[in-house]
């Protein structure tokens, strides 16, 4: 077990050195490739305009998201109606999904409590 830990530490050290050596060049290359997305000059007015565009774009996407949600609910209802045809694999995937949702809920609760397991701070 200790040898495995040493291997992981050496790999992490190599990755850190690689990022330190090539990180800035990758950052510059990424900015150069996507410079047409950068707004110049970055003024407060421009930032407010972009935030409003993002907000209204998200609001405009709500009907499509609602339709997708309805389709998912109809699919789940159909699965429930035909549960006798349900395969074990499908039930296993559903159980794992539920378990993952519960795990994310527990993680959120722990983070919300300030990384404590026993209770909230006064």
């Amino acid at each position: 077990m200790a040898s495995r830990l040493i291997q992981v530490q050496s790999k992490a050290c190599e990755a850190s050195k690689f990022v330190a050596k090539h990180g800035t060049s990758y950052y510059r290359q990424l900015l150069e490739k996507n410079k047409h997305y950068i707004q110049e000059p970055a003024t407060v007015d421009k930032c407010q305009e972009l935030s409003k565009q993002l907000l209204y774009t998200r609001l405009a996407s709500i009907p499509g998201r609602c339709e997708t949600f309805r389709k998912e609910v109809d699919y789940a209802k159909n699965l429930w109606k035909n549960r006798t045809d349900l395969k074990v694999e499908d039930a296993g995937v559903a159980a794992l999904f539920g378990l993952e949702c519960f795990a994310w809920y527990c993680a959120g609760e722990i983070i919300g409590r300030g990384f404590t397991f026993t209770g909230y701070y006064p």
Side-chain angles (χ1 to χ4, degrees), residues 46-66:
K46 192 62 172 176
C47 290
Q48 288 175 345
E49 179 186 348
L50 289 172
S51 68
K52 286 182 181 178
Q53 285 177 349
L54 177 62
L55 171 70
Y56 290 113
T57 301
R58 295 280 173 106
L59 286 175
S61 71
I62 289 175
R65 292 178 188 203
C66 289

Side-chain angles (χ1 to χ4, degrees), residues 97-111:
F97 178 73
L99 184 65
E100 182 183 1
C101 289
F102 180 71
W104 279 112
Y105 168 77
C106 290
E109 280 292 311
I110 291 168
I111 291 168

Side-chain angles (χ1 to χ4, degrees), residues 50-88:
L50 289 172
S51 68
K52 286 182 181 178
Q53 285 177 349
L54 177 62
L55 171 70
Y56 290 113
T57 301
R58 295 280 173 106
L59 286 175
S61 71
I62 289 175
R65 292 178 188 203
C66 289
E67 183 61 32
T68 303
F69 178 71
R70 284 188 199 101
K71 287 180 183 177
E72 291 286 335
V73 169
D74 289 341
Y75 178 74
K77 286 180 183 178
N78 190 24
L79 275 179
W80 186 252
K81 286 178 185 175
N82 300 325
R83 64 183 176 267
T84 55
D85 300 335
L86 194 64
K87 293 184 266 182
V88 174

